[in-house]
Amino acid sequence: MLTQYRACLVGCGRMGATIDDEVNDNLPFSHAAGYTAVENIDLVAVSDPIVEKVETIQKRYHVLNGYTDYREMVEREQPDIVSVATRPGSHAEITIFAAENGVKGIYCEKPLCCSMAEADAMVKACAAYN
């Protein structure tokens, strides 16, 4: 029996959820489409500061829970996996928060972050919290 994983998406924009509209292929390209295509992953929640984006992506991917604050989402949902599909300026903050709050799988879009200091802080947090 496969382990069932709980995934959350931070960022309901292009790479997080809508790039599939631009690609003429049967394979999923966005984080959300990827999670919904994998049998043993449940996309349990999405977040974005823009409530309309949250609601649209919830409907599109049949996601029960939506948030405008990723911190609240991570704390409430306790996911196994978090996708960080926001603009690069917040990648380090979100990744560190996810690691500190028990997320074991963090998939962060490129560019990973905005400086080597942020990269070092991300690696340090992930190592400290396994």
Side-chain angles (χ1 to χ4, degrees), residues 16-83:
T18 64
I19 192 171
D20 303 279
D21 297 338
E22 303 170 32
V23 179
N24 295 325
D25 198 326
N26 290 328
L27 296 173
F29 275 72
S30 71
H31 291 251
Y35 289 135
T36 59
V38 178
E39 181 181 332
N40 64 319
I41 297 179
D42 295 320
L43 182 58
V44 297
V46 298
S47 71
D48 195 282
I50 301 170
V51 71
E52 293 84 5
K53 283 186 174 185
V54 171
E55 292 169 351
T56 297
I57 300 311
Q58 279 184 268
K59 288 177 189 165
R60 179 175 182 161
Y61 291 102
H62 310 288
V63 178
L64 185 60
N65 300 308
Y67 299 85
T68 55
D69 182 342
Y70 74 86
R71 292 173 193 87
E72 179 183 1
M73 178 181 71
V74 169
E75 289 172 343
R76 284 192 183 174
E77 301 296 336
Q78 299 181 343
D80 301 298
I81 305 166
V82 166
S83 273

Side-chain angles (χ1 to χ4, degrees), residues 93-106:
E93 174 186 314
I94 296 166
T95 298
I96 291 166
F97 183 86
E100 291 173 344
N101 284 274
V103 178
K104 298 303 180 192
I106 303 168

Side-chain angles (χ1 to χ4, degrees), residues 3-18:
T3 300
Q4 201 65 26
Y5 296 99
R6 296 170 51 81
C8 287
L9 171 64
V10 182
C12 293
R14 186 170 183 256
M15 291 311 297
T18 64

